[in-house]
Amino acid sequence: MAETLHQGATAQTARAVCVVVHGRGQTQQDMIDMILSRLDVADVHYVLPKSAGEAWYDAKAVDPLEEGTTRQLNAALDAIGNCIDAARQDGLPLVLIGFSQGACMAAEWLMRGGKVTSAALLTACRVGAVQDDLVRADLAGLPVYTTNGDDDPWIPLWAHRKLVGELSECGARLRMDIFPGRGHEVSDVEIATLSEMLEAAVAGHRALEAAS
């Protein structure tokens, strides 16, 4: 994995940590421009991992899990998990944000037992085809914000809804937004909800409380 970037408050002064995972063909700077630059939340230390290549894995999200894809997926999840573990600070809330393929990676990491305070999966689905037997973890009330466009070119709406169903069955506490006509981007509504989640983390409150 390429070098991890750090933004926002220093690790020493932060009151919350946020790991932001980019999508296919994107960079950490894309996440800074698309998300971080539009947030106005103090005291958050942002950690941005970077895939070794142009993507975390080569296949499309809803392609069958063949041997090569599984190998790439496992390696990428290990790299992201190591980044998240390195970002942890005792006593500080940890928020996980992913966009597009990065959101798919975040979803898979959570479904394999990864632990965070709250998570936002922006334009996400599970990695694999309908027939694949995908692992599930007990999410035990984890606040998760999920979004998609109604005609996204990369993440089919049916696949996003399947993810939402699995998250709910695993015990996550969900807010879901579907945006008619939204491009493959992060909308102002998503930024506003991310801000609320981060402000809750900084204040030590439970995220998405109003939507519960």
Side-chain angles (χ1 to χ4, degrees):
M1 187 171 69
E3 184 178 355
T4 299
L5 289 186
H6 299 263
Q7 294 278 309
T10 67
Q12 294 72 31
T13 63
R15 296 173 62 191
V17 177
C18 179
V19 176
V20 184
V21 186
H22 69 79
R24 181 190 301 272
Q26 294 179 328
T27 66
Q28 296 143 312
Q29 187 61 49
D30 290 321
M31 295 298 94
I32 293 170
D33 294 341
M34 292 175 62
I35 299 176
L36 271 59
S37 67
R38 299 162 65 189
L39 296 170
D40 185 20
V41 183
D43 301 323
V44 179
H45 178 62
Y46 296 98
V47 180
L48 297 97
K50 175 68 177 71
S51 60
E54 291 296 311
W56 294 104
Y57 57 91
D58 293 334
K60 294 181 180 178
V62 295
D63 285 347
L65 278 177
E66 298 180 350
E67 182 179 350
T69 301
T70 299
R71 184 170 56 251
Q72 288 183 324
L73 179 62
N74 289 339
L77 286 169
D78 285 345
I80 291 171
N82 289 338
C83 177
I84 292 171
D85 287 341
R88 293 185 191 276
Q89 296 188 54
D90 289 342
L92 289 189
L94 177 59
V95 180
L96 176 61
I97 298 174
F99 173 72
S100 192
Q101 191 186 63
C104 298
M105 296 299 299
E108 294 306 316
W109 186 79
L110 293 173
M111 284 297 199
R112 295 180 184 215
K115 302 298 183 183
V116 293
T117 306
S118 59
L121 311 176
L122 310 179
T123 312
C125 66
R126 296 299 305 268
V127 179
V130 172
Q131 65 268 26
D132 288 318
D133 185 17
L134 303 179
V135 65
R136 300 186 185 190
D138 180 5
L139 300 180
L142 175 69
V144 178
Y145 178 47
T146 70
T147 70
N148 204 25
D150 63 347
D151 191 25
D152 189 89
W154 290 100
I155 305 296
L157 186 56
W158 67 261
H160 177 260
R161 286 175 169 159
K162 182 173 181 292
L163 166 65
V164 169
E166 292 187 17
L167 290 170
S168 179
E169 290 169 3
C170 290
R173 192 160 53 86
L174 293 168
R175 171 176 168 178
M176 178 182 71
D177 282 333
I178 303 297
F179 300 100
R182 190 208 66 180
H184 196 66
E185 59 194 15
V186 180
S187 70
D188 289 342
V189 173
E190 289 163 293
I191 292 297
T193 303
L194 292 179
S195 295
E196 293 172 3
M197 294 178 71
L198 291 169
E199 287 168 354
V202 168
H205 298 156
R206 198 177 188 195
L208 306 179
E209 201 66 69
S212 61

